[in-house]
Amino acid sequence: FDTTRSRGEPAEFQVKGVARGWADVLQQMVVGDEVRAWIPAALAYPGLPSRPQGPVVFECELLAIEPAPPAGPGPGSGRP
């Protein structure tokens, strides 16, 4: 359903924005790891009709880990 091979450049994303099973795998990786992960349907995209239904397989090489951007002011902070 997606590949970076045809785009010719790596993807960037926050761990909190990916499928639960994929987030579990990513958090166990270190820079330079290459994995093929089979994610069961219950940990992939249940209830998201725009995503694949059923189990999914991810192949990934972790190129870098970057810290998340700092959180902005929260609601009720009185600052814009």
Side-chain angles (χ1 to χ4, degrees), residues 51-79:
R51 296 293 188 172
Q53 299 303 297
V56 293
V57 178
F58 288 100
E59 292 183 0
C60 175
E61 177 183 2
L62 185 61
L63 301 176
I65 299 172
E66 298 177 6
S77 67
R79 296 191 302 192

